[in-house]
Amino acid sequence: MLLSIQTDTAQRYFGIKKAVDCLAEAGYDAIDFSFFGEEVTELLQSDDNVGFFKELREHAKEKGLIFNQSHAPFASSFADAEKTEKRFAEIVRAMKYAAVLGAKVIVVHPCKHLTYEDEGVPERLFEMNMDFYRRLKPYCEEYGIRVALENMWQSLGMNKISHSTCSRPAEFIKYLDTLDSEWFTACLDIGHANLCCEDPADFIRALGKKRLGALHVHDVDGTRDLHTLPYFGMGNWDKITKALADIDYSGDFTFESGNFDAGKPKELYVCYERLAVETGRFLINKIEKYKGAKKS
């Protein structure tokens, strides 16, 4: 099981190529490339940047890293149709460039710009998202990359969290089973599940090995989407790692914990990420121990 992390914070601190150097120095196995932020957004405005991403892939290889997955720009939809189409084009380019990097999976948020709790909205969003993801399928086939749907949440203000698209196991399963294609999989965001009062361990077991292809691992406090390291929030990491072992999860262990070191001196970035690496290795080891106990 590879240990990886998104590049978002490191890119903002150091730029794209230096971010790779820092993550290699910290001790990661792989990188989840973030297709957002000012530098990357500019690259997504053109189809002519294949060379840049080929060079980046080689640069990472020299540092002993691969790109295991990536994250498309978000949000995926807006009230403005023209803005939504522009974003769709950016998502398609992100898929193309992620494939150039060698990533096998790209996380693409479902459409969620409507107020989920309003009457009839979950059904409207379901139809909207079926159209959205089916439009992406030909690009999956062209570029050879799977799209991972993610469980979302919405803020109602005053620290009140609402369910949103795919935030309940039954709805997430409905989305995946309706799409019914090898090109679509689930990325379970552990923190988002906790924000919506859905037990991540139960969520993992409901999705099962067949549907769960990727993770966003981070911790929250129950009221804010903190994106901090495990054990700095409310997550029950014994239950979560045991659930991953119980379904024989075969994907990678990918942190989306960039806010843990965001806002701190960038000179300490690698130091903080070394702690993240140690935490990730500890959790992966727990998963493997639980798997071993099942077999014995």
Side-chain angles (χ1 to χ4, degrees), residues 70 72 88 91-100 103-108 130-149 179-185:
S70 60
F88 185 85
I91 291 170
V92 170
R93 289 193 188 104
M95 293 171 67
K96 174 181 177 179
Y97 292 145
V100 171
K104 302 302 181 187
V105 175
I106 183 167
V107 178
V108 180
M130 289 302 103
D131 290 342
F132 170 63
Y133 286 114
R134 284 167 179 154
R135 285 182 67 195
L136 290 179
K137 185 178 176 182
Y139 300 103
C140 294
E141 295 168 341
E142 180 178 355
Y143 303 135
I145 190 166
R146 300 175 82 195
V147 163
L149 288 64
L179 289 168
D180 190 25
S181 169
E182 64 179 348
W183 293 111
F184 298 104
T185 189

Side-chain angles (χ1 to χ4, degrees), residues 11-26:
Q11 284 171 187
R12 284 187 277 116
Y13 274 168
F14 307 109
I16 295 173
K17 288 191 175 180
K18 180 64 175 175
V20 171
D21 299 343
C22 291
L23 296 176
E25 186 179 351

Side-chain angles (χ1 to χ4, degrees), residues 170-186:
E171 183 175 87
F172 207 163
I173 290 168
K174 178 183 176 183
Y175 270 60
L176 293 165
D177 289 0
T178 303
L179 289 168
D180 190 25
S181 169
E182 64 179 348
W183 293 111
F184 298 104
T185 189

